[in-house]
């Protein structure tokens, strides 16, 4: 089955700096790669996603890149703000199920 | 539109007790999922239902059963709870199959003593 690895497990940045989180996946049949943000005690919520026929997608301060050949994808957050502090999960999905990475706890220091 | 709802929010069980976690969605989604979330391990898929009338095992199905009662409802049953099943359980749904945005419920925090 699919195996998703996520790094780093914790990340601390100063407000205004950029943050990058990286994931690798194993199943070449995976075709959908979402990123979820989970605040403490809350449910995961989608922040951005990308499909395997696209190499990069951007939404304001958030961008995701996908390298299908190398089977890795990354989340980039620019101009970080304290409210970006949360746990971020990557995931890789084929048509049947979705597998999540172990999560990255991002702390943005004011 | 309530989205995805789960009951109960919290539950404490003794080892060996049974219980059913309820999940419902009002978005007319076809596919529904049950995950457990443990510290440092992300979300792990327990069971899923690609469409009404079908269920399949996920990554960690042992100790659990599911029922897709109708299009709206997907329940998770623990027949004989064990301390290893202490976790936060999330239900999710997608319009159709896994390669789409999943909408999560608020979660159920379960403790097994």
């Amino acid at each position: 089955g699919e195996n998703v690895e996520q790094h780093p497990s914790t990340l601390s940045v100063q407000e205004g700096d950029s943050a990058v989180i990286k994931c690798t996946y194993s199943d070449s049949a995976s075709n959908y790669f979402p990123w979820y943000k989970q605040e403490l005690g809350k449910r995961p919520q989608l922040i951005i996603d990308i499909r395997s026929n696209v190499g990069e997608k951007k939404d304001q301060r958030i961008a995701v890149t996908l390298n299908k050949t190398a089977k890795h994808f990354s989340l980039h957050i620019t101009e970080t703000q304290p409210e970006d502090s949360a746990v971020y999960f990557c995931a890789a999905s084929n048509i049947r199920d979705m597998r999540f990475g172990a999560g990255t706890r991002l702390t943005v220091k004011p | 539109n309530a989205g995805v709802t789960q009951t109960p929010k919290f539950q404490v069980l003794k080892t060996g007790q049974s219980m059913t976690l309820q999940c419902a969605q009002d978005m007319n989604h076809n596919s529904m999922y049950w995950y457990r979330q443990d510290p440092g391990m992300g979300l792990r898929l327990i069971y899923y239902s690609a469409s009404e009338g079908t269920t399949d095992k996920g990554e960690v199905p042992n100790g659990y059963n599911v029922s897709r009662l109708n299009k709206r409802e997907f329940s998770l049953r623990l027949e004989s709870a064990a301390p290893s099943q202490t976790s936060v359980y999330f239900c999710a749904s997608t319009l159709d199959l896994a390669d789409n945005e999943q909408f999560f419920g608020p979660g159920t925090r379960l403790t097994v003593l």
Side-chain angles (χ1 to χ4, degrees):
Chain A
E2 175 67 275
N3 183 43
V4 178
E5 296 197 358
Q6 183 172 347
H7 301 280
S9 56
T10 60
L11 179 60
S12 182
V13 299
Q14 287 295 134
E15 183 176 0
D17 286 351
S18 293
V20 180
I21 303 170
K22 298 184 179 182
C23 290
T24 60
Y25 63 100
S26 60
D27 186 355
S28 57
S30 291
N31 61 354
Y32 175 64
F33 306 91
W35 287 87
Y36 286 84
K37 176 183 180 182
Q38 186 178 29
E39 295 174 351
L40 191 62
K42 300 286 180 67
R43 71 191 80 188
Q45 294 198 295
L46 182 75
I47 55 171
I48 195 167
D49 56 12
I50 192 167
R51 295 194 181 272
S52 57
N53 58 346
V54 176
E56 185 173 356
K57 185 176 178 180
K58 192 172 181 181
D59 182 4
Q60 300 183 344
R61 297 185 297 109
I62 295 172
V64 58
T65 57
L66 172 65
N67 183 326
K68 212 177 155 194
T69 303
K71 295 197 185 79
H72 65 71
F73 56 114
S74 302
L75 177 71
H76 305 251
I77 305 174
T78 59
E79 300 170 27
T80 53
Q81 300 165 4
E83 52 264 39
D84 293 330
S85 295
V87 178
Y88 292 80
F89 293 98
C90 64
S93 176
N94 56 37
I95 205 165
R96 291 184 306 106
D97 61 29
M98 184 176 293
R99 298 296 171 98
F100 287 80
T104 296
R105 182 175 299 280
L106 174 65
T107 303
V108 180
K109 299 177 186 173
Chain B
N1 251 6
V4 182
T5 57
Q6 291 182 236
T7 55
K9 285 190 169 57
F10 302 94
Q11 184 71 49
V12 178
L13 293 177
K14 293 181 180 176
T15 297
Q17 287 186 317
S18 61
M19 79 160 296
T20 300
L21 281 66
Q22 307 285 356
C23 174
Q25 52 87 13
D26 62 1
M27 297 177 283
N28 202 34
H29 284 175
N30 289 309
S31 304
M32 297 184 74
Y33 306 83
W34 276 106
Y35 294 93
R36 59 177 290 173
Q37 185 174 36
D38 302 297
M41 300 188 74
L43 292 141
R44 291 184 292 168
L45 182 65
I46 303 170
Y47 270 93
Y48 66 99
S49 171
S51 61
E52 187 179 354
T54 69
T55 60
D56 283 287
K57 294 178 181 179
E59 191 180 355
V60 289
N62 292 344
Y64 306 94
N65 283 300
V66 292
S67 295
R68 183 75 183 266
L69 304 169
N70 48 55
K71 190 172 184 179
R72 290 187 63 247
E73 297 172 289
F74 188 38
S75 63
L76 179 72
R77 182 158 179 86
L78 287 69
E79 289 291 351
S80 179
S84 60
Q85 294 178 304
T86 294
S87 189
V88 179
Y89 291 85
F90 285 99
C91 176
S93 69
T94 62
L95 178 61
D96 205 6
L97 301 173
D99 55 347
N100 289 287
E101 178 182 359
Q102 296 206 357
F103 293 83
F104 285 85
T108 295
R109 186 173 293 274
L110 175 67
T111 301
V112 183
L113 301 175

